[in-house]
């Protein structure tokens, strides 16, 4: 026997969305997760496609690293470059960060087991590394499968957080 349906039909969910309900409000109303609401709407072709910033964030980022400053700035850059609506405060933070990255001559790197460091002081994961001659001069990141497990003091130098 199939499990009892917790969420209503996709048509009902569509009506909630048309009425201005957020995914979270729908989830709270039916006692499910926001992800469950998104998945049902997505499967019905009623959800907006999530933006992808794989060209800026090619790594599989652990949940505990998802809000580190470097990845937040990379997402903001992706949104800005895609023509998305970015608040002026975030644009200012992004522009300062880009200037600092350029001045420090570093790229953003990610290693799942990287301990806390100046780029990611509370959770680790992300770190800065000096640009190498073989780095793409237009890229802000370096993606390597076998990145070193720890950064040296010079490589981990963190541009000041705005």
């Amino acid at each position: 026997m199939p499990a009892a349906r917790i969420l209503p039909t996709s048509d009902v969910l569509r009506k909630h969305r048309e009425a201005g309900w957020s995914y979270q409000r729908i989830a709270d109303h039916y006692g499910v997760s926001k992800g469950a609401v998104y998945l049902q709407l997505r499967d019905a072709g009623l959800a907006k496609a999530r933006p992808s910033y794989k060209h800026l964030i090619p790594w599989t980022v652990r949940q505990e690293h998802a809000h580190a400053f470097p990845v937040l700035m990379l997402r903001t850059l992706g949104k800005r470059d895609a023509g998305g609506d970015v608040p002026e405060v975030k644009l200012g933070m992004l522009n300062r960060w880009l200037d600092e990255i350029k001045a420090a001559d570093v790229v953003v790197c990610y290693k799942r087991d990287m301990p806390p460091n100046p780029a990611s002081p509370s959770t680790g994961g992300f770190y800065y590394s000096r640009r190498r001659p073989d780095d793409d001069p237009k890229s802000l990141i370096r993606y390597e499968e076998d990145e070193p497990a720890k950064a040296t003091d010079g490589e981990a130098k963190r541009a000041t957080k705005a």
Side-chain angles (χ1 to χ4, degrees), residues 20-97:
W21 286 30
S22 68
Y23 288 0
Q24 189 62 59
R25 182 174 178 192
I26 295 169
D28 292 345
H29 184 76
Y30 291 103
V32 298
S33 70
K34 187 167 77 170
V37 174
Y38 168 77
L39 289 174
Q40 184 164 328
L41 288 168
R42 183 199 67 189
D43 291 348
L46 300 171
K48 291 181 184 177
R50 293 182 72 185
S52 173
Y53 305 120
K54 282 289 186 188
H55 65 291
L56 294 169
I57 309 167
W59 310 278
T60 301
V61 177
R62 284 186 175 165
Q63 182 65 34
E64 64 264 27
H65 302 146
H67 299 287
F69 189 73
V71 76
L72 292 176
M73 291 296 97
L74 290 170
R75 277 192 213 105
T76 302
L77 176 63
K79 188 173 184 178
R80 182 201 72 183
D81 289 353
D85 185 29
V86 180
E88 284 298 317
V89 170
K90 282 195 175 184
L91 278 177
M93 289 173 63
L94 174 64
N95 290 330
R96 282 188 297 279
W97 181 75

Side-chain angles (χ1 to χ4, degrees), residues 7 19 31 35 39 69 76 91 105 119-120 130 140 156:
L7 282 171
L39 289 174
F69 189 73
T76 302
L91 278 177
D105 197 31
S120 192
R130 287 251 175 249
L140 297 174

Side-chain angles (χ1 to χ4, degrees), residues 101 104 106 117-119 127-130 151-159:
I101 292 296
V106 295
N117 62 80
Y127 63 98
Y128 297 115
S129 180
R130 287 251 175 249
T152 65
D153 288 339
E155 290 177 330
K157 196 166 201 168
R158 163 72 164 92

